[in-house]
Amino acid sequence: MCDARDEDVTTVAVGRLYPSRNIFANVVSEKGVGDEIAAKLLADFLRENGVKHLVYKSDQERSIKTFIDSSLMMAGVASTEDDDAVLCAVPEYSAVGESASNGRAERAVQMIEDQARTLKSALETRIGARIGSTHPAMAWLIRHCAIILNRFSVNPDGKTPYQALHGKRASDRFVELGERVYFYVAKKLRFKLDMRWQLGAFLGLSLIHI
């Protein structure tokens, strides 16, 4: 992803899980090769969604296959024939040069692009400065896009992806990305005379522990 003013691009891994339609999106380095944090985020996404058996689709680009394989290993899959594996995963690759044929994945990518465009424009207006495609804030912004879509977009059955997974609508309270908010400082992170509440910038929810 980038805009006309950027010299570099930021690479984003996007996936969508069915039937809940939960979306995963995260900035990765070099399409995920050697990006352990991004691989762990995807592995935690699969575990959080209670995935035990999975048929996954992607194109045959080596870097993408390596990224997915690393995530599956972290999630507990050893091989498709291993009965003791936590996760049984079977690949189904698109034909070479025909990644667009996977319409579901392409639609998920489009949703993240549209949401990212909106959030980036709003954040730049709020702070009065431009955010480049490789700025660290983009990693939080992309992840926040998926969180918003999972909690508030509505599937054809009238349920949100979060509701399809948990059986109830999300009760999280949100403010605009980058908005100044007060946050509580845990006791173990402050001295006795430090303020319990401090001002910070809202960068979205942290759903997993790295």
Side-chain angles (χ1 to χ4, degrees):
M1 292 184 181
C2 68
D3 63 31
R5 298 167 293 179
D6 290 321
E7 295 182 359
D8 297 314
V9 299
T10 186
T11 303
V12 180
V14 179
R16 199 171 198 186
L17 190 64
Y18 283 82
S20 67
R21 297 173 184 256
N22 265 290
I23 290 180
F24 169 84
N26 197 76
V27 170
V28 297
S29 60
E30 298 180 2
K31 296 193 176 180
V33 177
D35 194 331
E36 294 186 4
I37 293 179
K40 185 181 186 303
L41 286 168
L42 178 54
D44 285 351
F45 172 79
L46 295 175
R47 283 194 291 261
E48 181 186 84
N49 281 269
V51 174
K52 296 295 184 181
H53 303 281
L54 176 70
V55 176
Y56 63 94
K57 297 182 179 181
S58 71
D59 60 31
Q60 299 187 48
E61 188 171 347
R62 180 175 297 179
S63 59
I64 296 177
K65 293 170 65 176
T66 301
F67 171 65
I68 294 175
D69 289 343
S70 297
S71 299
L72 293 175
M73 290 293 290
M74 292 181 182
V77 60
S79 71
T80 55
E81 291 86 17
D82 187 352
D83 293 333
D84 295 326
V86 176
L87 171 65
C88 179
V90 179
E92 184 177 307
Y93 299 115
S94 303
V96 176
E98 294 295 332
S99 60
S101 64
N102 193 347
R104 286 180 169 181
E106 294 300 319
R107 174 56 183 155
V109 170
Q110 186 64 56
M111 292 174 68
I112 292 295
E113 288 177 349
D114 292 344
Q115 192 70 38
R117 187 182 306 110
T118 300
L119 292 184
K120 182 173 179 289
S121 176
L123 181 57
E124 289 177 336
T125 300
R126 171 178 290 278
I127 65 176
R130 194 178 81 83
I131 299 174
S133 62
T134 58
H135 191 281
M138 287 297 296
W140 289 96
L141 186 147
I142 294 298
R143 200 176 304 170
H144 191 57
C145 290
I147 292 173
I148 289 176
L149 291 171
N150 289 338
R151 279 163 168 70
F152 304 115
S153 65
V154 179
N155 294 336
D157 61 1
K159 297 180 180 180
T160 65
Y162 182 95
Q163 187 177 6
L165 178 64
H166 298 282
K168 61 180 180 180
R169 288 191 175 274
S171 59
D172 305 290
R173 301 179 67 180
F174 286 85
V175 296
E176 186 175 336
L177 189 73
E179 185 172 336
R180 297 272 283 174
V181 295
Y182 280 102
F183 67 94
Y184 181 75
V185 182
K187 187 175 182 179
K188 64 181 180 180
L189 298 178
R190 55 183 165 82
F191 293 97
K192 293 185 181 297
L193 294 181
D194 286 341
M195 299 298 292
R196 294 182 179 181
W197 294 86
Q198 296 185 21
L199 267 176
F202 178 71
L203 294 175
L205 299 181
S206 179
L207 301 180
I208 56 96
H209 298 286
I210 300 176

